[in-house]
Amino acid sequence: LKQEVAAREKSEAEKAALRKELDSKAGAESKANAAASEEVKQLKSLLNEKEKALAKAGLDLKSATEDAVMKDKESAREIARLTAEIAKLNTEGTAQLAEVRSRIRKAGRKVLEDMGRVRQAKDAAKQSLHDFQAELMPAMKNFYSPLKKALAKVQKDNAGWSEKLKKEVNERKRLHNLVLELKGNIRVFCRVRPKLKHEQGDGCDTAVLFPEDKPELEENFVSCYDEAKGSEKLFEFDNTFGPSSTQAEVFDEVEALVTSVLDGYNVCIFAYGQTGSGKTYTMEGEPDDKGINPRTLARLFDQISEKADSDFQVDFSVLEIYNEEIKDLLDPKPTKKLEVRQGPDGNYVQDLQLSRVKCYDEVFALWKNARENRTTFSNNVNEHSSRSHLVISVYARGENRATGVQSFGKLHLVDLAGSERLSRTNAQGDRLKEAQNINKSLSALGDVIAAAANKAGHIPYRNSKLTHVLQDSLGQDSKTLMIVQSSPLTKDVSESICSLTFASRARSVELGQAKKHTGIKPKVGGR
């Protein structure tokens, strides 16, 4: 019995120990489950946040993908449009250039063939003469007269072929000008003034050369040598005039534009260059050696008198742009501030005085008064430096009495103030302000030329009064001629290179083919 009791107690003790061990393990498992449950809860929360972030990223990706697809489509359409436009321009330009080249090649071949025949005829004549002298020398006296006539005929034929060659060269030049006119390029002439009597010594050597000075230069090329840098730059223009050129020679190349005004075209001729380079001399000239302005105005009225079948009405104005303000030189004390406005016929200056003129003498009298009102002062570069931009404008309205066709043409003759480095002029006070405004407006003109040359979408005409006034001439629908003036001296070579570079860039600007203004009678100056 005692053994059974002991065995039972031992069994009960083992059960209690086992139960205690089970309870301990159950508590630990419960804690582990609670910890695992909390960790699962946190993982579910993190997973939920990640799923939300993933969903948002998916939406963003979808939106970005749709935007990219739309932009790709727009880019593809734009590329296709530009490709088609380029192809069209290439086709049109290639066709025109091919036609011009074909005509030039045909003309060249014809000239070469004609010259070949001339050489053959000349060689044959020489051979005939040689044989004649060798075989019939005793009878030379009897045949001298016919032989002399034959030689004269050969010489005449040679002269004829030379004249034909000269005509073909002129025809090639005409075709080149025709191509430029079709493109509507700003045409650029270069003129270099002669040395003045006092320009002797250091810095007064010749830096700008022409084909007559340097035979290896091609026609219409100019060489500018910078002695300090030891470099030479070449520039090509539509025409060049060296120091020995005359006012008449320059005007001969300009005269055709006068006819354009009476035909209803807008024409602008302006002179550009550094202070003291001869701009005002080229445009105005002297009483006994008139420049472009008086010759153009005189020729305008000569042509009006020659058009017996048409009646013309001509209005005349003169303004200057001084310190970014427009001044009426025909009315030097206006009551209103003058501003540029947009009218149906282009830009015009509101309240600017327009004078009706019937002959050149009336224009000359008005111009004489206007000149006295222009702003000029002396500086270290030029004793009588123009401190403003001068714009002479002529508005010609015509009507053919037989057909009733009306035309309206505008002519602007512009003498720009000289570009200059402030360090050279020693400008102070009011002169310094003037110089800064001049350089600012010329810089704005450079920006307009650069934008037009690059075919930019926006051209900053409104950045200065000068470019705003000249917007019609620097934009489309105008025949525009720039005459870049240069000093010949080595001491001015830096300014000369700047001027010639600017003019060369302007030469690449294509304005488009100018159009005649005919039909319904427009209002003068947009009023």
Side-chain angles (χ1 to χ4, degrees):
L1 182 60
K2 286 182 180 180
Q3 289 177 350
E4 289 180 1
V5 171
R8 188 180 295 116
E9 288 177 352
K10 183 179 180 181
S11 177
E12 290 293 333
E14 288 176 353
K15 287 181 180 179
L18 181 61
R19 188 178 293 111
K20 184 177 180 180
E21 184 178 355
L22 288 173
D23 289 342
S24 176
K25 288 182 178 180
E29 185 177 354
S30 176
K31 290 180 180 180
N33 287 339
S37 178
E38 182 64 27
E39 186 176 356
V40 169
K41 184 177 179 181
Q42 291 177 356
L43 288 174
K44 285 183 179 180
S45 176
L46 180 61
L47 178 62
N48 188 36
E49 291 178 359
K50 295 294 183 181
E51 286 177 346
K52 288 181 180 179
L54 181 62
K56 185 176 182 301
L59 291 175
D60 292 342
L61 177 60
K62 182 179 179 181
S63 176
T65 303
E66 291 175 352
D67 290 343
V69 170
M70 290 181 65
K71 289 180 179 179
D72 286 343
K73 289 181 179 179
E74 291 176 359
S75 298
R77 286 195 295 270
E78 182 65 15
I79 290 171
R81 185 186 70 77
L82 292 174
T83 301
E85 186 175 347
I86 290 171
K88 180 181 177 183
L89 291 174
N90 283 337
T91 301
E92 293 176 355
T94 302
Q96 291 179 355
L97 289 175
E99 181 182 353
V100 172
R101 289 194 184 104
S102 177
R103 292 175 63 183
I104 292 174
R105 281 196 295 268
K106 288 179 181 178
R109 283 197 297 268
K110 187 176 183 303
V111 170
L112 290 175
E113 290 171 359
D114 292 343
M115 291 181 67
R117 285 195 290 269
V118 168
R119 284 194 293 269
Q120 291 175 0
K122 187 175 180 180
D123 292 342
K126 286 183 177 180
Q127 186 62 41
S128 297
L129 177 60
H130 177 75
D131 295 343
F132 183 77
Q133 289 175 335
E135 296 176 5
L136 301 176
M137 186 62 70
M140 179 69 76
K141 292 183 180 180
N142 296 330
F143 294 93
Y144 179 78
S145 180
L147 180 61
K148 185 177 180 180
K149 291 180 180 179
L151 289 173
K153 184 177 183 303
V154 171
Q155 292 173 350
K156 183 178 179 181
D157 290 342
N158 284 343
W161 293 121
S162 298
E163 186 64 22
K164 284 186 178 181
L165 179 60
K166 183 178 179 180
K167 288 181 179 179
E168 291 299 336
V169 171
N170 290 335
E171 176 65 5
R172 180 180 178 183
K173 183 177 180 180
R174 187 188 69 81
L175 292 174
H176 171 73
N177 291 336
L178 178 61
V179 171
L180 292 179
E181 185 171 346
L182 291 173
K183 285 176 152 184
N185 286 59
I186 294 179
R187 300 190 67 196
V188 180
F189 293 173
C190 173
R191 190 182 192 188
V192 175
R193 67 166 177 82
K195 290 184 182 179
L196 305 179
K197 292 181 179 179
H198 67 274
E199 292 176 334
Q200 304 292 333
D202 292 342
C204 293
D205 293 331
T206 300
V208 183
L209 301 177
F210 291 82
E212 55 264 33
D213 307 313
K214 195 174 183 181
E216 59 266 31
L217 283 177
E218 296 180 16
E219 184 180 9
N220 293 333
F221 273 80
V222 173
S223 167
C224 196
Y225 182 72
D226 189 344
E227 189 176 59
K229 296 181 179 179
S231 61
E232 179 187 41
K233 290 194 174 184
L234 299 179
F235 301 91
E236 182 182 12
F237 300 102
D238 297 295
N239 216 325
T240 56
F241 302 91
S244 61
S245 62
T246 65
Q247 301 281 60
E249 289 173 348
V250 175
F251 182 69
D252 284 344
E253 297 296 327
V254 175
E255 185 176 4
L257 292 175
V258 180
T259 303
S260 297
V261 176
L262 298 182
D263 289 340
Y265 289 97
N266 292 339
V267 174
C268 177
I269 304 172
F270 68 97
Y272 176 91
Q274 70 185 88
T275 296
S277 60
K279 298 183 301 300
T280 301
Y281 176 80
T282 292
M283 296 303 289
E284 296 181 19
E286 297 175 346
D288 58 347
D289 193 16
K290 293 182 173 61
I292 288 175
N293 291 354
R295 290 174 186 264
T296 298
L297 296 171
R299 185 67 185 125
L300 183 74
F301 283 99
D302 288 342
Q303 291 192 352
I304 288 176
S305 64
E306 293 168 5
K307 291 180 177 291
D309 57 346
S310 299
D311 295 321
F312 283 88
Q313 177 181 301
V314 180
D315 292 305
F316 179 76
S317 69
V318 187
L319 65 85
E320 73 170 353
I321 301 172
Y322 174 68
N323 281 346
E324 281 301 291
E325 290 186 1
I326 299 174
K327 295 175 61 178
D328 188 345
L329 296 186
L330 296 181
D331 182 17
K333 297 181 180 179
T335 56
K336 297 180 181 179
K337 185 177 181 179
L338 302 179
E339 295 290 347
V340 182
R341 297 285 184 260
Q342 180 71 33
D345 300 310
N347 285 9
Y348 70 99
V349 178
Q350 190 174 27
D351 299 318
L352 182 70
Q353 179 174 316
L354 291 179
S355 299
R356 183 67 46 81
V357 288
K358 296 181 180 179
C359 63
Y360 172 72
D361 289 340
E362 293 181 2
V363 171
F364 182 78
L366 290 170
W367 168 232
K368 184 178 180 181
N369 292 333
R371 285 186 65 184
E372 296 177 356
N373 296 323
R374 190 179 184 188
T375 306
T376 62
F377 291 99
S378 65
N379 59 34
N380 281 9
V381 180
N382 188 2
E383 184 179 357
H384 299 286
S385 177
S386 301
R387 312 308 298 160
S388 65
H389 308 299
L390 177 73
V391 182
I392 299 173
S393 299
V394 176
Y395 306 88
R397 186 196 314 279
E399 181 175 359
N400 187 297
R401 291 191 297 273
T403 63
V405 174
Q406 297 174 331
S407 64
F408 177 68
K410 290 190 290 187
L411 170 65
H412 297 305
L413 302 170
V414 186
D415 181 8
L416 298 176
S419 60
E420 54 193 31
R421 287 185 298 177
L422 301 182
S423 59
R424 293 195 65 195
T425 59
N426 287 339
Q428 297 178 353
D430 291 340
R431 303 294 83 77
L432 176 61
K433 180 182 178 182
E434 292 168 356
Q436 290 171 335
N437 280 314
I438 290 170
N439 289 341
K440 178 183 176 182
S441 61
L442 292 176
S443 177
L445 178 62
D447 293 339
V448 167
I449 292 293
N454 294 328
K455 296 182 172 60
H458 171 70
I459 300 179
Y461 293 113
R462 294 176 179 267
N463 283 4
S464 79
K465 288 289 195 303
L466 173 64
T467 52
H468 203 184
V469 168
L470 296 181
Q471 180 173 347
D472 292 345
S473 302
L474 299 173
Q476 297 181 349
D477 197 21
S478 178
K479 293 186 177 184
T480 303
L481 169 65
M482 170 193 285
I483 301 177
V484 58
Q485 292 281 154
S486 175
S487 162
L489 307 180
T490 52
K491 67 180 181 181
D492 298 326
V493 70
S494 296
E495 285 80 6
S496 297
I497 289 177
C498 288
S499 297
L500 297 176
T501 301
F502 175 82
S504 184
R505 186 165 63 242
R507 187 170 177 258
S508 67
V509 175
E510 295 180 8
L511 303 179
Q513 187 173 5
K515 299 177 182 178
K516 283 185 179 182
H517 296 271
T518 58
I520 299 175
K521 185 176 176 181
K523 294 181 180 180
V524 174
R527 283 177 251 180

